[in-house]
Coordinates of all heavy atoms in Angstrom, one line a residue:
M242 N -22.1 -9.3 0.9 CA -21.4 -8.0 0.8 C -22.4 -7.0 0.2 O -23.0 -7.3 -0.8 CB -20.2 -8.2 0.0 CG -19.3 -6.9 0.0 SD -17.8 -7.1 -0.9 CE -18.3 -7.4 -2.6
A243 N -22.4 -5.8 0.7 CA -23.3 -4.8 0.2 C -22.7 -4.4 -1.2 O -21.5 -4.4 -1.5 CB -23.3 -3.6 1.1
E244 N -23.7 -4.1 -2.1 CA -23.3 -3.6 -3.4 C -22.7 -2.2 -3.3 O -23.2 -1.4 -2.7 CB -24.5 -3.6 -4.4 CG -24.1 -3.2 -5.8 CD -25.3 -3.2 -6.7 OE1 -26.4 -3.4 -6.2 OE2 -25.1 -2.9 -7.9
N245 N -21.5 -2.0 -4.0 CA -20.9 -0.8 -4.0 C -21.1 0.0 -5.3 O -21.1 -0.7 -6.4 CB -19.4 -0.9 -3.8 CG -19.1 -1.6 -2.4 OD1 -19.1 -0.9 -1.4 ND2 -18.8 -2.9 -2.4
V246 N -21.4 1.2 -5.2 CA -21.7 2.0 -6.4 C -20.9 3.4 -6.3 O -20.6 3.8 -5.2 CB -23.2 2.3 -6.6 CG1 -23.9 1.0 -6.8 CG2 -23.7 3.1 -5.4
T247 N -20.7 3.9 -7.5 CA -20.1 5.3 -7.6 C -21.2 6.3 -7.3 O -22.4 5.9 -7.1 CB -19.5 5.6 -8.9 OG1 -20.5 5.5 -9.9 CG2 -18.4 4.5 -9.2
R248 N -20.9 7.6 -7.4 CA -21.9 8.6 -7.0 C -23.1 8.5 -7.9 O -24.3 8.8 -7.5 CB -21.3 10.0 -7.1 CG -22.1 11.1 -6.6 CD -21.4 12.4 -6.7 NE -22.2 13.5 -6.0 CZ -21.9 14.7 -6.1 NH1 -20.9 15.1 -6.8 NH2 -22.7 15.6 -5.5
D249 N -22.9 8.2 -9.2 CA -24.1 8.1 -10.2 C -24.7 6.7 -10.2 O -25.5 6.4 -11.1 CB -23.6 8.6 -11.5 CG -22.7 7.6 -12.2 OD1 -22.3 6.6 -11.6 OD2 -22.3 7.9 -13.4
G250 N -24.3 5.8 -9.3 CA -24.9 4.5 -9.2 C -24.3 3.4 -10.0 O -24.8 2.3 -10.1
T251 N -23.2 3.8 -10.7 CA -22.4 2.8 -11.5 C -21.8 1.8 -10.5 O -21.2 2.2 -9.5 CB -21.3 3.4 -12.3 OG1 -21.9 4.4 -13.1 CG2 -20.6 2.4 -13.1
P252 N -21.9 0.5 -10.7 CA -21.3 -0.5 -9.9 C -19.8 -0.3 -9.8 O -19.2 0.0 -10.8 CB -21.7 -1.9 -10.5 CG -22.9 -1.6 -11.3 CD -22.7 -0.2 -11.8
W253 N -19.3 -0.5 -8.6 CA -17.9 -0.3 -8.3 C -17.4 -1.4 -7.3 O -18.0 -1.5 -6.3 CB -17.6 1.1 -7.7 CG -16.3 1.2 -7.0 CD1 -16.1 1.3 -5.6 CD2 -15.0 1.2 -7.6 NE1 -14.7 1.4 -5.4 CE2 -14.0 1.3 -6.5 CE3 -14.5 1.1 -8.9 CZ2 -12.7 1.3 -6.7 CZ3 -13.1 1.1 -9.1 CH2 -12.2 1.2 -8.0
T254 N -16.4 -2.1 -7.7 CA -15.8 -3.1 -6.9 C -14.5 -2.5 -6.2 O -13.6 -2.3 -6.9 CB -15.4 -4.4 -7.7 OG1 -16.6 -4.9 -8.3 CG2 -14.8 -5.4 -6.7
P255 N -14.5 -2.3 -4.9 CA -13.3 -1.8 -4.3 C -12.1 -2.7 -4.4 O -12.3 -4.0 -4.5 CB -13.7 -1.7 -2.8 CG -15.2 -1.8 -2.8 CD -15.6 -2.6 -4.0
K256 N -11.0 -2.2 -4.5 CA -9.7 -2.9 -4.6 C -8.9 -2.6 -3.4 O -8.0 -1.7 -3.5 CB -9.0 -2.7 -5.9 CG -9.9 -3.0 -7.1 CD -9.3 -2.6 -8.4 CE -10.1 -2.9 -9.6 NZ -11.4 -2.1 -9.7
Y257 N -9.1 -3.2 -2.2 CA -8.5 -2.9 -1.0 C -7.0 -3.4 -1.0 O -6.7 -4.5 -1.4 CB -9.2 -3.5 0.2 CG -10.6 -3.2 0.3 CD1 -11.6 -4.1 0.1 CD2 -11.0 -1.9 0.6 CE1 -13.0 -3.8 0.3 CE2 -12.3 -1.5 0.8 CZ -13.3 -2.5 0.6 OH -14.6 -2.1 0.7
L258 N -6.1 -2.5 -0.5 CA -4.7 -2.9 -0.4 C -4.6 -3.9 0.7 O -4.9 -3.6 1.9 CB -3.8 -1.7 -0.2 CG -2.4 -2.0 0.0 CD1 -1.8 -2.6 -1.2 CD2 -1.6 -0.7 0.3
E259 N -4.1 -5.1 0.4 CA -3.9 -6.2 1.4 C -2.4 -6.3 1.8 O -2.1 -6.4 3.0 CB -4.4 -7.5 0.8 CG -4.3 -8.6 1.9 CD -4.9 -9.9 1.4 OE1 -4.3 -10.5 0.5 OE2 -5.9 -10.3 1.9
S260 N -1.5 -6.2 0.9 CA -0.1 -6.4 1.3 C 0.8 -5.8 0.2 O 0.4 -5.5 -0.9 CB 0.2 -7.9 1.4 OG 0.0 -8.6 0.2
I261 N 2.1 -5.7 0.6 CA 3.1 -5.2 -0.3 C 4.3 -6.1 -0.2 O 4.7 -6.5 0.9 CB 3.5 -3.7 0.1 CG1 2.4 -2.8 -0.1 CG2 4.8 -3.3 -0.7 CD1 2.6 -1.4 0.4
D262 N 4.8 -6.5 -1.3 CA 5.9 -7.5 -1.4 C 7.2 -6.7 -1.2 O 7.6 -5.9 -2.0 CB 5.9 -8.2 -2.8 CG 7.0 -9.2 -2.8 OD1 7.9 -9.3 -1.9 OD2 7.0 -10.0 -3.8
H263 N 7.8 -6.9 0.0 CA 9.0 -6.2 0.3 C 10.3 -6.6 -0.4 O 11.3 -6.0 -0.4 CB 9.3 -6.2 1.9 CG 8.2 -5.5 2.6 ND1 7.9 -5.8 3.9 CD2 7.4 -4.5 2.2 CE1 6.9 -5.0 4.3 NE2 6.6 -4.2 3.3
A264 N 10.1 -7.7 -1.1 CA 11.3 -8.1 -2.0 C 11.4 -7.3 -3.2 O 12.5 -7.1 -3.8 CB 11.1 -9.6 -2.3
T265 N 10.2 -6.7 -3.7 CA 10.3 -6.0 -4.9 C 10.0 -4.5 -4.7 O 10.3 -3.7 -5.6 CB 9.2 -6.6 -5.9 OG1 8.0 -6.7 -5.3 CG2 9.7 -7.9 -6.4
C266 N 9.4 -4.1 -3.6 CA 9.2 -2.7 -3.3 C 10.5 -1.9 -3.2 O 11.4 -2.4 -2.5 CB 8.4 -2.5 -2.0 SG 8.1 -0.8 -1.5
I267 N 10.6 -0.8 -3.8 CA 11.8 0.0 -3.8 C 11.7 1.2 -2.9 O 12.6 2.1 -2.8 CB 12.2 0.5 -5.2 CG1 11.1 1.3 -5.9 CG2 12.6 -0.8 -6.0 CD1 11.6 1.9 -7.2
G268 N 10.6 1.3 -2.2 CA 10.4 2.4 -1.2 C 10.4 3.8 -1.8 O 10.8 4.7 -1.2
C269 N 9.8 3.9 -3.0 CA 9.9 5.1 -3.8 C 8.9 6.2 -3.1 O 9.1 7.4 -3.3 CB 9.5 4.9 -5.2 SG 7.8 4.4 -5.5
G270 N 7.9 5.7 -2.4 CA 6.9 6.6 -1.8 C 5.8 7.1 -2.6 O 5.0 7.9 -2.2
R271 N 5.7 6.7 -3.9 CA 4.7 7.2 -4.8 C 3.3 6.8 -4.2 O 2.3 7.6 -4.3 CB 4.9 6.7 -6.2 CG 6.1 7.2 -6.9 CD 6.3 6.6 -8.2 NE 5.3 7.2 -9.2 CZ 5.3 6.8 -10.5 NH1 6.2 6.0 -10.9 NH2 4.4 7.3 -11.3
C272 N 3.1 5.6 -3.8 CA 1.8 5.2 -3.2 C 1.4 6.0 -2.0 O 0.3 6.4 -1.9 CB 1.9 3.7 -2.9 SG 3.2 3.2 -1.8
F273 N 2.4 6.3 -1.2 CA 2.1 7.1 0.0 C 1.6 8.4 -0.3 O 0.6 8.9 0.3 CB 3.4 7.2 0.8 CG 3.3 7.9 2.1 CD1 2.9 7.3 3.3 CD2 3.5 9.3 2.2 CE1 2.8 8.0 4.5 CE2 3.3 10.0 3.4 CZ 3.0 9.4 4.5
K274 N 2.1 9.0 -1.4 CA 1.7 10.4 -1.8 C 0.3 10.4 -2.3 O -0.4 11.5 -2.1 CB 2.7 10.9 -2.8 CG 4.0 11.3 -2.3 CD 4.9 11.8 -3.4 CE 6.3 12.1 -2.8 NZ 7.3 12.3 -3.9
V275 N -0.2 9.4 -2.9 CA -1.6 9.4 -3.4 C -2.6 8.9 -2.5 O -3.8 9.1 -2.8 CB -1.6 8.6 -4.8 CG1 -0.7 9.2 -5.8 CG2 -1.4 7.2 -4.6
C276 N -2.2 8.3 -1.4 CA -3.2 7.7 -0.5 C -3.7 8.8 0.5 O -2.9 9.4 1.2 CB -2.6 6.5 0.3 SG -3.9 5.8 1.4
S277 N -5.0 9.0 0.4 CA -5.6 10.1 1.3 C -6.1 9.5 2.6 O -6.7 10.2 3.4 CB -6.8 10.7 0.5 OG -7.8 9.8 0.3
R278 N -5.9 8.2 2.8 CA -6.6 7.5 4.0 C -5.6 7.1 5.1 O -6.1 6.5 6.1 CB -7.3 6.3 3.5 CG -8.3 6.5 2.4 CD -9.4 7.4 2.9 NE -10.2 6.8 3.9 CZ -11.3 7.4 4.5 NH1 -11.7 8.6 4.1 NH2 -11.9 6.8 5.5
G279 N -4.4 7.4 5.0 CA -3.4 7.1 6.1 C -3.2 5.7 6.2 O -2.9 5.2 7.4
V280 N -3.2 4.9 5.2 CA -3.1 3.4 5.2 C -1.6 3.0 5.3 O -1.3 2.0 5.9 CB -3.8 2.8 4.0 CG1 -3.5 1.3 4.0 CG2 -5.3 3.1 4.0
L281 N -0.8 3.8 4.7 CA 0.6 3.4 4.4 C 1.6 4.0 5.3 O 1.4 5.1 5.8 CB 1.0 3.7 2.9 CG 0.1 3.0 1.9 CD1 0.1 3.7 0.6 CD2 0.5 1.6 1.8
E282 N 2.7 3.3 5.5 CA 3.8 3.9 6.4 C 5.1 3.4 5.8 O 5.3 2.1 5.6 CB 3.7 3.4 7.8 CG 4.8 4.0 8.7 CD 4.6 3.5 10.2 OE1 3.7 2.7 10.5 OE2 5.4 3.9 11.0
M283 N 6.1 4.3 5.6 CA 7.4 3.9 5.2 C 8.2 3.3 6.4 O 8.2 3.9 7.5 CB 8.1 5.1 4.6 CG 9.4 4.8 4.0 SD 9.2 4.1 2.3 CE 9.2 5.7 1.4
K284 N 8.8 2.2 6.1 CA 9.7 1.6 7.2 C 11.0 1.3 6.6 O 11.2 1.2 5.3 CB 9.0 0.3 7.7 CG 7.6 0.4 8.3 CD 7.7 1.0 9.7 CE 7.9 -0.1 10.7 NZ 7.8 0.4 12.1
G285 N 12.0 1.0 7.5 CA 13.2 0.5 7.0 C 13.2 -1.0 7.1 O 12.4 -1.6 7.7
I286 N 14.1 -1.6 6.4 CA 14.3 -3.1 6.4 C 15.8 -3.4 6.6 O 16.6 -2.8 6.0 CB 13.6 -3.8 5.2 CG1 13.5 -5.3 5.4 CG2 14.4 -3.5 3.9 CD1 12.5 -5.9 4.4
S287 N 16.0 -4.3 7.6 CA 17.4 -4.6 7.9 C 18.0 -5.6 7.0 O 17.3 -6.2 6.2 CB 17.4 -5.1 9.4 OG 17.0 -6.4 9.4
E288 N 19.3 -5.9 7.2 CA 20.0 -6.9 6.4 C 19.3 -8.2 6.5 O 19.4 -9.0 5.6 CB 21.4 -6.9 6.9 CG 22.4 -7.5 6.0 CD 23.8 -7.4 6.5 OE1 24.0 -6.9 7.6 OE2 24.8 -7.8 5.8
D289 N 18.7 -8.5 7.7 CA 18.1 -9.8 8.0 C 16.6 -9.8 7.6 O 15.8 -10.6 8.1 CB 18.2 -10.2 9.4 CG 19.7 -10.3 9.8 OD1 20.5 -10.8 9.0 OD2 20.0 -10.0 11.0
D290 N 16.1 -8.8 6.8 CA 14.7 -8.6 6.4 C 13.8 -8.4 7.6 O 12.6 -8.8 7.5 CB 14.3 -9.9 5.6 CG 14.9 -9.9 4.2 OD1 15.3 -8.8 3.7 OD2 14.9 -10.9 3.6
V291 N 14.2 -7.7 8.6 CA 13.4 -7.3 9.7 C 13.0 -5.9 9.5 O 13.8 -5.0 9.3 CB 14.1 -7.5 11.1 CG1 13.3 -7.0 12.2 CG2 14.5 -9.0 11.3
L292 N 11.7 -5.6 9.7 CA 11.2 -4.2 9.6 C 11.6 -3.4 10.8 O 11.5 -3.9 12.0 CB 9.7 -4.2 9.5 CG 9.1 -4.7 8.2 CD1 7.6 -4.7 8.3 CD2 9.5 -3.8 7.0
V293 N 12.2 -2.2 10.6 CA 12.6 -1.3 11.6 C 12.1 0.1 11.3 O 11.6 0.3 10.2 CB 14.2 -1.3 11.7 CG1 14.7 -2.7 12.2 CG2 14.8 -0.9 10.4
D294 N 12.2 1.0 12.2 CA 11.9 2.4 11.9 C 12.7 2.9 10.8 O 13.8 2.5 10.6 CB 12.1 3.3 13.2 CG 11.0 3.0 14.3 OD1 10.0 2.4 14.0 OD2 11.3 3.4 15.4
A295 N 12.1 3.8 10.0 CA 12.7 4.4 8.8 C 14.1 5.0 9.2 O 15.0 5.0 8.3 CB 11.8 5.3 8.1
D296 N 14.2 5.6 10.4 CA 15.4 6.3 10.7 C 16.4 5.4 11.6 O 17.4 5.9 12.1 CB 15.1 7.6 11.4 CG 14.3 7.4 12.7 OD1 14.0 6.2 13.0 OD2 14.0 8.4 13.4
D297 N 16.0 4.1 11.7 CA 16.9 3.2 12.5 C 18.2 3.0 11.8 O 18.2 2.8 10.5 CB 16.1 1.9 12.7 CG 16.8 1.0 13.7 OD1 18.0 0.6 13.5 OD2 16.2 0.7 14.7
E298 N 19.3 2.9 12.5 CA 20.6 2.7 11.9 C 20.7 1.4 11.2 O 21.6 1.2 10.4 CB 21.7 2.9 12.9 CG 21.7 1.9 14.1 CD 22.8 2.2 15.1 OE1 23.3 3.3 15.1 OE2 23.1 1.3 15.9
D299 N 19.9 0.4 11.6 CA 19.9 -0.9 10.9 C 19.2 -1.0 9.6 O 19.2 -2.0 8.9 CB 19.3 -2.0 11.9 CG 20.2 -2.3 13.1 OD1 21.4 -2.0 13.0 OD2 19.7 -2.8 14.1
A300 N 18.5 0.1 9.2 CA 17.7 0.1 8.0 C 18.7 0.2 6.8 O 19.4 1.1 6.6 CB 16.8 1.3 8.0
M301 N 18.6 -0.9 6.0 CA 19.5 -1.0 4.8 C 18.8 -0.3 3.6 O 19.5 0.2 2.7 CB 19.8 -2.5 4.5 CG 20.5 -3.2 5.6 SD 22.1 -2.6 5.9 CE 23.0 -3.1 4.4
R302 N 17.5 -0.3 3.6 CA 16.7 0.3 2.5 C 15.3 0.5 3.0 O 15.0 0.1 4.1 CB 16.7 -0.6 1.3 CG 16.1 -1.9 1.4 CD 16.3 -2.8 0.2 NE 15.7 -4.1 0.3 CZ 14.4 -4.4 0.1 NH1 13.6 -3.5 -0.4 NH2 13.9 -5.6 0.3
M303 N 14.6 1.3 2.3 CA 13.2 1.6 2.7 C 12.2 0.7 1.9 O 12.4 0.4 0.7 CB 12.9 3.1 2.3 CG 13.7 4.1 3.1 SD 13.4 4.0 4.9 CE 15.1 3.9 5.5
V304 N 11.1 0.4 2.6 CA 10.0 -0.3 2.0 C 8.7 0.3 2.5 O 8.6 0.8 3.6 CB 10.0 -1.8 2.3 CG1 11.2 -2.5 1.6 CG2 10.0 -2.1 3.8
M305 N 7.6 0.2 1.7 CA 6.3 0.7 2.2 C 5.6 -0.5 2.9 O 5.7 -1.6 2.5 CB 5.5 1.2 1.0 CG 4.3 2.0 1.4 SD 4.8 3.5 2.3 CE 5.7 4.4 1.1
T306 N 4.8 -0.1 3.9 CA 4.1 -1.1 4.7 C 2.6 -0.7 4.8 O 2.3 0.5 4.7 CB 4.7 -1.3 6.1 OG1 4.5 -0.1 6.8 CG2 6.1 -1.7 6.0
V307 N 1.8 -1.7 5.0 CA 0.3 -1.5 5.2 C 0.1 -1.3 6.7 O 0.0 -2.3 7.4 CB -0.5 -2.6 4.6 CG1 -2.0 -2.3 4.7 CG2 -0.1 -2.9 3.1
A308 N 0.1 -0.1 7.1 CA 0.1 0.2 8.6 C -1.3 0.1 9.1 O -1.5 -0.2 10.3 CB 0.8 1.5 8.9
A309 N -2.3 0.6 8.3 CA -3.7 0.6 8.8 C -4.6 0.2 7.7 O -5.4 1.0 7.1 CB -4.0 2.1 9.2
G310 N -4.5 -1.1 7.3 CA -5.3 -1.6 6.2 C -6.8 -1.4 6.4 O -7.5 -1.3 5.4
G311 N -7.3 -1.3 7.6 CA -8.7 -1.2 7.8 C -9.3 0.2 7.4 O -10.5 0.3 7.3
L312 N -8.4 1.1 7.2 CA -8.8 2.4 6.7 C -8.9 2.5 5.2 O -9.4 3.5 4.7 CB -7.8 3.5 7.2 CG -7.7 3.6 8.7 CD1 -6.7 4.7 9.1 CD2 -9.0 4.0 9.4
C313 N -8.5 1.5 4.5 CA -8.4 1.5 3.0 C -9.9 1.6 2.4 O -10.7 0.8 2.9 CB -7.7 0.3 2.5 SG -7.6 0.2 0.7
I314 N -10.1 2.4 1.5 CA -11.4 2.5 0.8 C -11.4 1.8 -0.6 O -12.4 1.8 -1.3 CB -11.9 3.9 0.6 CG1 -10.9 4.7 -0.2 CG2 -12.1 4.6 2.0 CD1 -11.4 6.1 -0.6
G315 N -10.3 1.2 -0.9 CA -10.2 0.4 -2.1 C -10.2 1.2 -3.4 O -10.7 0.8 -4.4
C316 N -9.7 2.4 -3.3 CA -9.7 3.3 -4.5 C -8.8 2.9 -5.6 O -8.9 3.3 -6.8 CB -9.4 4.8 -4.1 SG -7.7 5.0 -3.6
N317 N -7.7 2.1 -5.3 CA -6.8 1.5 -6.2 C -5.7 2.6 -6.7 O -4.9 2.3 -7.6 CB -7.5 0.9 -7.4 CG -6.6 -0.2 -8.1 OD1 -6.0 -1.0 -7.4 ND2 -6.6 -0.2 -9.4
A318 N -5.8 3.8 -6.2 CA -4.8 4.8 -6.6 C -3.4 4.4 -6.4 O -2.5 4.6 -7.2 CB -5.1 6.1 -5.9
C319 N -3.1 3.7 -5.3 CA -1.7 3.3 -5.0 C -1.2 2.3 -6.0 O 0.0 2.4 -6.4 CB -1.6 2.7 -3.6 SG -2.8 1.4 -3.2
A320 N -2.1 1.4 -6.5 CA -1.6 0.5 -7.5 C -1.3 1.2 -8.8 O -0.4 0.8 -9.6 CB -2.7 -0.6 -7.7
M321 N -2.1 2.2 -9.1 CA -1.9 2.9 -10.4 C -0.6 3.6 -10.5 O -0.1 3.7 -11.6 CB -3.1 3.9 -10.6 CG -4.5 3.3 -10.7 SD -4.7 2.3 -12.1 CE -4.8 3.5 -13.4
V322 N 0.0 4.0 -9.4 CA 1.3 4.7 -9.4 C 2.5 3.8 -9.2 O 3.6 4.3 -9.3 CB 1.3 5.9 -8.5 CG1 0.2 6.9 -8.9 CG2 1.1 5.5 -7.0
C323 N 2.2 2.6 -8.8 CA 3.4 1.7 -8.4 C 3.9 1.1 -9.7 O 3.3 0.4 -10.4 CB 2.9 0.6 -7.5 SG 4.3 -0.5 -7.1
G324 N 5.2 1.4 -9.9 CA 5.9 0.9 -11.1 C 6.5 -0.5 -10.9 O 7.0 -1.1 -11.9
K325 N 6.4 -1.0 -9.7 CA 7.0 -2.3 -9.4 C 6.0 -3.5 -9.3 O 6.4 -4.6 -9.1 CB 7.9 -2.2 -8.1 CG 8.9 -1.1 -8.2 CD 9.9 -1.3 -9.3 CE 10.8 -2.5 -9.1 NZ 11.8 -2.6 -10.2
N326 N 4.8 -3.2 -9.4 CA 3.7 -4.2 -9.3 C 3.9 -5.1 -8.1 O 3.8 -6.3 -8.2 CB 3.8 -5.1 -10.6 CG 2.5 -5.9 -10.8 OD1 1.4 -5.5 -10.3 ND2 2.7 -7.1 -11.4
C327 N 4.2 -4.5 -7.0 CA 4.4 -5.3 -5.8 C 3.3 -5.3 -4.7 O 3.4 -5.8 -3.6 CB 5.7 -4.8 -5.1 SG 5.8 -3.0 -4.8
Q328 N 2.2 -4.7 -5.1 CA 1.0 -4.6 -4.2 C 0.0 -5.7 -4.6 O -0.2 -6.0 -5.7 CB 0.3 -3.3 -4.3 CG 1.3 -2.1 -4.0 CD 0.6 -0.8 -4.3 OE1 -0.6 -0.7 -4.6 NE2 1.4 0.3 -4.3
T329 N -0.6 -6.2 -3.5 CA -1.8 -7.2 -3.7 C -3.0 -6.5 -3.2 O -3.1 -6.0 -2.1 CB -1.5 -8.5 -2.9 OG1 -0.4 -9.1 -3.4 CG2 -2.7 -9.4 -3.1
H330 N -4.0 -6.4 -4.1 CA -5.3 -5.8 -3.7 C -6.4 -6.9 -3.7 O -6.3 -7.8 -4.6 CB -5.7 -4.7 -4.7 CG -4.8 -3.5 -4.6 ND1 -5.3 -2.3 -4.1 CD2 -3.5 -3.3 -4.8 CE1 -4.3 -1.4 -4.1 NE2 -3.2 -2.0 -4.5
V331 N -7.4 -6.8 -2.9 CA -8.5 -7.7 -2.8 C -9.8 -6.9 -2.8 O -9.8 -5.7 -2.4 CB -8.4 -8.7 -1.6 CG1 -7.1 -9.5 -1.6 CG2 -8.4 -7.8 -0.3
S332 N -10.9 -7.6 -3.1 CA -12.1 -6.9 -3.2 C -13.0 -7.0 -1.9 O -14.1 -6.5 -1.8 CB -12.9 -7.3 -4.4 OG -13.1 -8.7 -4.4
E333 N -12.5 -7.8 -0.9 CA -13.3 -7.9 0.3 C -12.4 -7.8 1.5 O -11.2 -8.1 1.4 CB -14.0 -9.3 0.4 CG -15.1 -9.5 -0.6 CD -15.8 -10.8 -0.5 OE1 -15.7 -11.4 0.6 OE2 -16.4 -11.2 -1.5
Ligands
SF4_663 S1 -6.4 1.6 -2.4 FE1 -6.6 3.8 -2.0 S2 -7.2 4.1 0.1 FE2 -6.4 2.0 -0.1 S3 -4.2 2.2 0.4 FE3 -4.4 2.4 -1.9 S4 -4.5 4.7 -2.2 FE4 -4.9 4.2 0.0
SF4_664 S1 4.8 2.7 -5.3 FE1 5.3 0.5 -5.2 S2 7.5 0.5 -5.2 FE2 6.9 2.5 -4.6 S3 6.9 2.5 -2.3 FE3 4.8 2.1 -3.1 S4 4.6 -0.2 -3.2 FE4 6.8 0.3 -3.1

């Protein structure tokens, strides 16, 4: 893996968002607001724990999903604002 550095050359290990635990996510949207990369998407979750569109009538509550994980730059901003500790980040 290539070495990652900040602008001044300080070593930096990316923390890519891999997954979100839908059992603990409350769909608050804070992570969505801070992500500049279009990685996240709010979805609904049904009574049977099936993901549905946010405006689907079967949506019992909202959860955040990793819609485009390949666009993540590993900035870790989403983890910093999540009060539920429901995200998993990885460095590769
Ligand atoms: S780590 Fe940064 S780029 Fe990746 S999903 Fe979180 S806020 Fe977006
Ligand atoms: S900040 Fe945490 S609890 Fe809120 S929507 Fe994002 S992952 Fe879910």
Side-chain angles (χ1 to χ4, degrees):
M242 184 175 69
E244 183 180 3
N245 296 283
V246 295
T247 64
R248 191 180 185 189
D249 69 1
T251 303
W253 159 253
T254 302
K256 300 174 181 69
Y257 302 113
L258 177 60
E259 183 172 69
S260 62
I261 296 173
D262 184 350
H263 292 155
T265 50
C266 174
I267 58 172
C269 68
R271 293 177 71 179
C272 54
F273 182 88
K274 289 179 183 170
V275 300
C276 181
S277 64
R278 304 298 297 182
V280 174
L281 298 160
E282 181 182 4
M283 188 78 87
K284 300 281 278 186
I286 195 163
S287 74
E288 200 172 2
D289 300 326
D290 285 340
V291 176
L292 288 175
V293 296
D294 288 342
D296 60 358
D297 193 295
E298 63 181 17
D299 288 338
M301 299 296 291
R302 61 187 178 88
M303 296 297 131
V304 292
M305 197 58 66
T306 63
V307 184
L312 299 179
C313 178
I314 59 172
C316 71
N317 205 41
C319 52
M321 298 295 287
V322 298
C323 179
K325 303 304 288 184
N326 196 29
C327 51
Q328 302 173 9
T329 299
H330 289 248
V331 297
S332 58
E333 291 182 24

